[in-house]
Amino acid sequence: MKNSIYYFLLVATFFTACKKNDGPVSDAISLDRVDAQPQITKDGGSQAIDVLQLSKFSANFKVGLYTADAPAKMDIVIRKNNKNVFVKVFKAGITTYPESYNITATQLATLFGTPVELNDTYDISVDMYSASGKKYEAYPIIPGSANASVFGFGSGVAGQPGSSLSIQYKAICAYDPGIYEGNFVVEEDKWADFVPGDIVKLTKIDDTHISMIFPAALNPVPVVITINPGDNSATVAKQSSGSGWNYGAPGYPGSFVLTAGSSSASFVSPCDKTVELSLDYGYNAGTFGSGPYKLTLKKQ
């Protein structure tokens, strides 16, 4: 995969006949090409939008080039909620690279005409223009799929080492480590080690790690949950929950748990003071089937 993106516009001139004295045949094809790849990266400030403190959101981002080639100009565009029909121009006609920019929640609300709300997402990228003025969109609308989250820079480009074609800011309830310690009530446990109403104690290890005990484990040990404050995702790396599971003689030695399923299936919701985990359970022989299983806890 080359480090450039090539866009081609072929303009063909058709001839119905050629005569001996017509002279040299003119070039029948003109080539309109943009040998450039944008590079958009976060450049400090807020990493997410805290809906409880919207006025404090102030993010810096940088627009540059992945390659040495530059287009005639770029427009910085922002897409809301992963829908290509919701795209607005944040800044038009930029020609200096790299350059840093700042965005606030007030600007986002003004740009889209609606307040920033919980779970809103804002993707920032660029539209590029060739020397002839042809526009190549980051988020084109494909006929028949007006709401599709199409990305217009070509397949495979985003996978290049160090490539960053866009960045995203998500509206979340910012993680507060102080919430996630103490007693939590079980709201749901699909694995059925707990029943609704059971109390689980969460222990704060540090600002991004908490732990809990699974009482169905023999000689139980704390299982560590890692929180990503940037998006409130929660992860349980495969780890021991004790010496075995107490599921009848002779038991299941080497008990372990881990988060499974999609990366968005395990998370904390500080606004609701809940934690939801999508878990697989296993022992020395492997993982029990039919998982993952949802476990939902709410602060007492």
Side-chain angles (χ1 to χ4, degrees):
M1 180 68 187
K2 294 183 178 179
N3 288 336
S4 300
I5 308 170
Y6 296 93
Y7 302 94
F8 295 91
L9 175 65
L10 300 181
V11 182
T13 304
F14 297 93
F15 298 91
T16 58
C18 292
K19 297 180 182 178
K20 180 179 180 180
N21 296 322
D22 279 345
V25 177
S26 61
D27 184 8
I29 298 176
S30 65
L31 184 64
D32 186 16
R33 186 170 84 178
V34 176
D35 295 349
Q37 180 173 323
Q39 183 78 350
I40 299 93
T41 55
K42 293 184 178 182
D43 194 34
S46 304
Q47 297 299 298
I49 308 169
D50 182 3
V51 295
L52 300 179
Q53 303 183 83
L54 287 176
S55 63
K56 292 188 176 182
F57 174 70
S58 179
N60 302 318
F61 63 94
K62 184 177 293 184
V63 176
L65 298 169
Y66 186 80
T67 61
D69 300 296
K73 63 178 181 178
M74 294 184 187
D75 294 341
I76 300 174
V77 295
I78 303 179
R79 177 178 66 176
K80 183 176 179 179
N81 291 340
N82 206 36
K83 304 295 185 182
N84 286 13
V85 292
F86 301 147
V87 176
K88 300 291 186 181
V89 176
F90 175 70
K91 187 173 181 61
I94 65 170
T95 56
T96 303
Y97 319 104
E99 193 74 42
S100 291
Y101 301 88
N102 177 264
I103 187 75
T104 66
T106 299
Q107 288 175 303
L108 289 171
T110 300
L111 192 63
F112 288 94
T114 56
V116 176
E117 297 181 344
L118 182 64
N119 295 323
D120 281 346
T121 59
Y122 297 90
D123 298 306
I124 300 178
S125 189
V126 295
D127 291 342
M128 298 194 300
Y129 294 81
S130 69
S132 70
K134 183 170 177 60
K135 180 180 179 180
Y136 301 97
E137 296 178 312
Y139 307 115
I141 295 176
I142 306 301
S145 302
N147 287 325
S149 56
V150 177
F151 199 76
F153 290 120
S155 61
V157 175
Q160 296 179 96
S163 173
S164 180
L165 298 175
S166 69
I167 55 173
Q168 183 182 93
Y169 294 99
K170 184 174 181 178
I172 64 173
C173 284
Y175 181 66
D176 179 357
I179 293 174
Y180 289 92
E181 56 182 341
N183 291 339
F184 281 69
V185 179
V186 175
E187 292 193 327
E188 181 180 21
D189 180 18
K190 290 294 187 181
W191 183 242
D193 272 352
F194 301 100
V195 297
D198 281 351
I199 301 299
V200 175
K201 182 179 180 180
L202 296 186
T203 300
K204 176 186 171 183
I205 299 173
D206 56 35
D207 283 350
T208 58
H209 296 86
I210 56 179
S211 68
M212 63 176 287
I213 294 287
F214 287 81
L218 298 168
N219 304 308
V221 296
V223 171
V224 178
I225 305 165
T226 301
I227 310 299
N228 179 355
D231 60 7
N232 286 342
S233 61
T235 306
V236 177
K238 182 179 177 181
Q239 59 191 279
S240 172
S241 59
S243 60
W245 293 114
N246 185 20
Y247 297 148
Y252 295 85
S255 61
F256 65 83
V257 295
L258 72 158
T259 44
S262 71
S263 59
S264 61
S266 298
F267 55 89
V268 295
S269 297
C271 284
D272 301 323
K273 298 183 179 180
T274 60
V275 54
E276 185 168 309
L277 300 174
S278 176
L279 296 170
D280 269 346
Y281 300 79
Y283 65 110
N284 284 345
T287 303
F288 294 108
S290 302
Y293 299 87
K294 184 166 71 171
L295 173 63
T296 305
L297 311 174
K298 185 177 179 66
K299 186 86 180 259
Q300 189 177 44

